[in-house]
Structure formats: C-alpha cells, structure tokens
Amino acid sequence: MAKKVTKEKAGSKRPIPKTAKYQTIFKPVIYLLVLIVAILYAPFMKSLNFRSRQYTDYLAESFDGPYAENDILSKATKLFTDEVEGPESLAPFEGKVYVGLQDGRILQISDDKYTTFTTVGISNGTCPAWQEKRCGRPLGNRVTSKGDLYTIDAYHGVLKTSIKAPSPKPELVMSSDLLIEGNSSKFLDDLVIDEGAGTSGGNVIYMTDASSHFDLSEVVPTMLDQDDTGRVIQYDEVAKKATVIMKGLLFPNGIELTDDKTSILVCEITNKRILRHYVKGPKAGTTEVLIDRLPGEPDNIRRSTRKDKETYWVALAIARTTQNPDLIDWGENKPFLRNFALRTIYAVGNLVQFFGQLIQSPDLTLKGWEIKTFKLFNLFTFRGMALEIDVSGKIVSCLHSPDGSITLLSEVREVIEGNSRVLYLGSVYNKYIGKLVLS
C-alpha cells in the first residue's frame, strides 16, 4: 500500500532544532575563546606578570597647592616641527645644544637652527624607525667640561664623542652586552657623569637600566606590567668596572647628580616618584624617597641654571591626578584587562607590520610598528607639565599646558641665552623641540 505524502505549504519554514540554535551560538563563542587564548599565550608574546593596585595610592590628589593650574607651558614655541622626531634628551655646551633623534642622528642646535653633528650605530640619518634596534637609538645626553658628549644608545651602550674633534664620531665606552651581576643591559636609558671621580682621575658614569626584561620598543609593557627589574649602574670608565648600586626598581629613567656629588636623584616612572640614593659619605648605599605621588610619570631630571638655589627640572609625560585619571590608571586594579588589551594591540601591530614588510610597503610597516610600540600616543591630547623641585623635594614651580599643545615631555633642559633663562623641551614622541623663555 503506498504511503501518503503530504506537501508543506508554500512559504512555510521548518522549526530550527534546539541543537542547531546552540551550535549557532556555540561556534562564535569557541572562536572568541580561541582568539583570546591565542592572544594571551601566543609564543611571540613575552611573559608578563600583571599585578593589581589602586592608582589612588601613587598619583597626586589634585592640581591644587604646589600643582596649581596655569598655562605657562603652552606659551612655548615649537622649533623644527616635522623636521625632527623623538628629540628625547638635550645637552648644552658653549652656547650650543646637542640632541639625539629617532633616526639615529645627533643634532647641534644654535640660534634656532640645526646641523647634523654625528650619528650613532650604523645609522646615517635615514634609519627606518622599525629598525632602531639594528641602527641604534640615542637617548640620554651629557657633555663634560672638556667637551666630550656622552650618549646612551638604548640598544648598544654608552658612547662618547669629542665635540671639538674635526670629524666627530662616537666611540663605544661600555657595551650593553657587558654582563653585570649576570645580566646584560636590556634598556639603557639615561646617564650622568661624575668627572674625575674614578680610577686615575677618570670619570664615573651613573646610568639607568630601565628593565632586564623589556627594551625601548616595549616602554608601555614595562609600565603596565609593573616590571621591577630596573637598576642603576655605576661604571668606572678607566678601570672598566661596572657595579649595580640600585635594583628592584620599577622603570628607573632620569638620573642626576646632586651639587655636593654625594647622591644621585633617580626618577622611577611606574611608581611616580623620585628617589635619592647616596653614593658617598656616611649614608653611602642607602636610598630614600625624595618626592612621591607626582601628578604623572617623571622622565628625565636635570639641574637648573640657578645659582641662588639648588633646583632641578623634571619632565612629566602625562600629567593627571586621582580626580582626573586616564584609562591606564583605571585599569591598574584590572590586571587581566591590561594584559589582554596590551597583547591585542601588540598582535594587531605585529600583523600590520608583517604585511607591510610582505608587500614592501614602508608606510604600512611603519604604521604596524607604531601600533605595537604605542607610538600613536601623540595622536591623543594629554596635559603637559614640567616641575622645578629643590634638593629636598619641595616643589618650586609647576608649569602646565592644560590644552596639551606641549605634552609627552621627556626632558626639560634649562640654559642661559643672553640674560634669559630658557627651557628646551624634549620628547621621545614629539616631532618638534619646545622652547620657552622664562620671565
């Protein structure tokens, strides 16, 4: 007997089985979890050890009192806009100022004009940013009374160039590969010279090694990971002896010698504070907090030109307080989110850079490198700030740029031009050098 066949009505839909509904939701969830795991544990990512803390424990409470708001810093002029990139540190000598750039050049500035003084590493001034590890990247600069320019190359070591030489060319004083207490220097950042304090009247160099885990291209991970492998190295140039005199620091950066040469002042970026470490005298080997809870990350620190008082200029990268924190501060007590966000940005940047190199596109390669190294910071507007403090840690003056026209500062270097005190403003991110005449 033939079976009865019934036809479905035209346009009718079959009900979706429950299993199919679950599969529709299940698959995207699985893909998302796989993506998250890949980002968090991809082999090309470094191991990170995110910890949780409250930003209210280390930032200034408000822009009141010694941090009272003004717009003095915004009045600075911008020199060489789009002609220089990353003028991180400036060193004056005999009426001229020397500054290192992203592309490996060291410029000589005079009368608001510049010439190329020399270059570091294998760079000839045309080094692509994404090859800075190979080419070299000048950071901290100092000039001795004899006219020797000492420069920290973040990847290769300490360099010395005679300014008075007919053809100035850097020579290597200390290599980053030198093992010091079992570790080479991963991220040399800044230095200061104690002239004549070493063997046979040679120089002693104090320098910050920001991290034993990350390098310069990983500045943001160094901060977000709260990496505490930073150290300060003392190097006797004649004896060629290096000693670790401070360790366990969270991103030590700027360093300066006090007038009596008994101690060094060290800016600890992640902890938003400045430390004083004694290198001579009865307190030698001890460390104390000079000032903490700063309204931003203290980068380089430099002696002012004042004769009446021992003061120092401190550059703050992004000025803010607990009343107006930024996104990074909001994530301080959310280590998982910081971890995921950091790795996601790095993965995207790495992918863009890979395709840029694959299709031989310098622009795309640069964009990928800028993404993964967070160089795109300069696309955002942050309050700029420079502090002048005395040797006891008291705030002497505070300069603001509330509109962010001057921001992301790495160094404030004071010089005397004519009868005026003049501040030159450096930055590892900006494409100009700021100049402010103090009234």
Side-chain angles (χ1 to χ4, degrees):
M1 183 176 176
K3 293 182 178 179
K4 185 176 180 180
V5 178
T6 58
K7 294 183 179 180
E8 295 181 1
K9 293 181 180 181
S12 66
K13 296 182 180 180
R14 293 181 180 179
I16 300 175
K18 288 185 178 181
T19 55
K21 289 182 179 179
Y22 292 143
Q23 287 178 355
T24 303
I25 300 173
F26 186 68
K27 285 183 179 180
V29 170
I30 289 297
Y31 293 152
L32 180 60
L33 289 176
V34 170
L35 178 62
I36 291 174
V37 171
I39 289 174
L40 290 177
Y41 301 103
F44 59 81
M45 289 295 298
K46 285 190 173 182
S47 61
L48 298 172
N49 182 29
F50 284 92
R51 289 165 284 179
S52 178
R53 64 177 185 173
Q54 298 290 335
Y55 67 85
T56 51
D57 293 337
Y58 60 85
L59 272 177
E61 293 183 2
S62 66
F63 291 130
D64 294 323
Y67 302 124
E69 296 191 65
N70 56 64
D71 64 350
I72 297 174
L73 197 60
S74 292
K75 296 176 182 178
T77 57
K78 297 180 180 180
L79 304 178
F80 323 128
T81 300
D82 293 330
E83 297 178 40
V84 299
E85 185 165 358
E88 202 266 351
S89 177
L90 307 113
F93 182 71
E94 295 184 348
K96 297 178 175 61
V97 175
Y98 298 84
V99 59
L101 304 182
Q102 170 73 64
D103 58 18
R105 286 181 295 164
I106 297 179
L107 305 184
Q108 182 186 81
I109 301 173
S110 179
D111 297 326
D112 292 350
K113 297 178 182 179
Y114 71 85
T115 57
T116 298
F117 170 68
T118 190
T119 56
V120 303
I122 64 171
S123 172
N124 60 2
T126 60
C127 183
W130 63 88
Q131 293 186 11
E132 66 176 14
K133 290 184 183 181
R134 184 175 66 91
C135 298
R137 175 47 161 121
L139 292 180
N141 283 309
R142 299 282 185 164
V143 182
T144 66
S145 59
K146 296 179 180 179
D148 289 325
L149 172 65
Y150 284 78
T151 302
I152 283 278
D153 183 323
Y155 298 102
H156 301 137
V158 180
L159 309 173
K160 180 170 68 173
T161 310
S162 175
I163 289 177
K164 298 179 181 180
S167 299
K169 186 174 178 60
E171 62 179 77
L172 188 64
V173 172
M174 191 198 85
S175 172
S176 294
D177 294 330
L178 178 67
L179 289 179
I180 309 171
E181 292 192 358
N183 290 320
S184 58
S185 298
K186 188 78 173 178
F187 184 176
L188 291 177
D189 197 308
D190 195 23
L191 79 169
V192 66
I193 314 297
D194 190 354
E195 297 186 45
T199 302
S200 303
N203 296 331
V204 169
I205 306 170
Y206 297 99
M207 67 194 85
T208 51
D209 190 6
S211 171
S212 298
H213 189 59
F214 300 99
D215 62 32
L216 175 63
S217 68
E218 300 161 315
V219 166
V220 174
T222 305
M223 290 188 292
L224 294 187
D225 188 48
Q226 297 173 23
D227 175 65
D228 60 359
T229 62
R231 57 187 185 169
V232 174
I233 299 167
Q234 176 183 294
Y235 185 72
D236 188 313
E237 187 175 355
V238 173
K240 300 187 183 306
K241 180 182 178 182
T243 307
V244 176
I245 61 173
M246 298 178 71
K247 55 187 172 182
L249 303 178
L250 277 71
F251 202 157
N253 195 325
I255 186 169
E256 183 61 287
L257 192 65
T258 57
D259 285 1
D260 61 10
K261 299 186 178 182
T262 64
S263 55
I264 53 175
L265 308 181
V266 179
C267 293
E268 194 179 17
I269 277 189
T270 305
N271 278 333
K272 316 294 186 294
R273 65 182 184 178
I274 301 174
L275 304 175
R276 179 170 185 164
H277 181 81
Y278 291 88
V279 294
K280 298 174 186 176
K283 292 186 177 181
T286 63
T287 304
E288 55 192 40
V289 177
L290 183 70
I291 181 173
D292 61 0
R293 298 200 67 177
L294 291 168
E297 292 79 10
D299 205 309
N300 286 350
I301 179 170
R302 294 294 186 264
R303 177 67 161 90
S304 72
T305 62
R306 293 180 63 158
K307 305 295 184 183
D308 62 319
K309 184 182 296 186
E310 183 177 353
T311 68
Y312 302 85
W313 284 104
V314 181
L316 297 188
I318 301 175
R320 61 203 188 278
T321 67
T322 59
Q323 294 182 0
N324 61 342
D326 64 16
L327 188 60
I328 294 177
D329 302 312
W330 177 80
E332 281 291 332
N333 61 351
K334 302 171 181 64
F336 178 83
L337 290 180
R338 295 205 320 273
N339 190 1
F340 183 72
L342 180 68
R343 290 174 180 272
T344 301
I345 292 171
Y346 184 87
V348 170
N350 220 34
L351 189 62
V352 173
Q353 183 176 351
F354 171 77
F355 279 111
Q357 293 172 326
L358 187 67
I359 65 175
Q360 298 183 345
S361 169
D363 291 339
L364 191 60
T365 302
L366 176 61
K367 189 61 64 180
W369 180 83
E370 288 179 336
I371 292 172
K372 77 177 189 179
T373 59
F374 293 80
K375 290 292 184 180
L376 297 180
F377 263 147
N378 56 10
L379 297 179
F380 300 93
T381 300
F382 302 105
R383 177 186 293 264
M385 181 180 286
L387 297 177
E388 184 183 8
I389 66 171
D390 67 17
V391 73
S392 66
K394 180 181 178 181
I395 305 295
V396 176
S397 59
C398 176
L399 312 182
H400 288 254
S401 178
D403 60 359
S405 59
I406 301 293
T407 187
L408 296 170
L409 296 183
S410 62
E411 183 168 304
V412 178
R413 172 56 97 163
E414 183 178 335
V415 301
I416 298 296
E417 293 185 357
N419 295 319
S420 301
R421 296 171 65 198
V422 176
L423 300 183
Y424 281 92
L425 311 171
S427 169
V428 75
Y429 289 103
N430 293 338
K431 296 183 179 182
Y432 62 83
I433 296 174
K435 184 177 181 180
L436 178 65
V437 179
L438 299 177
S439 58

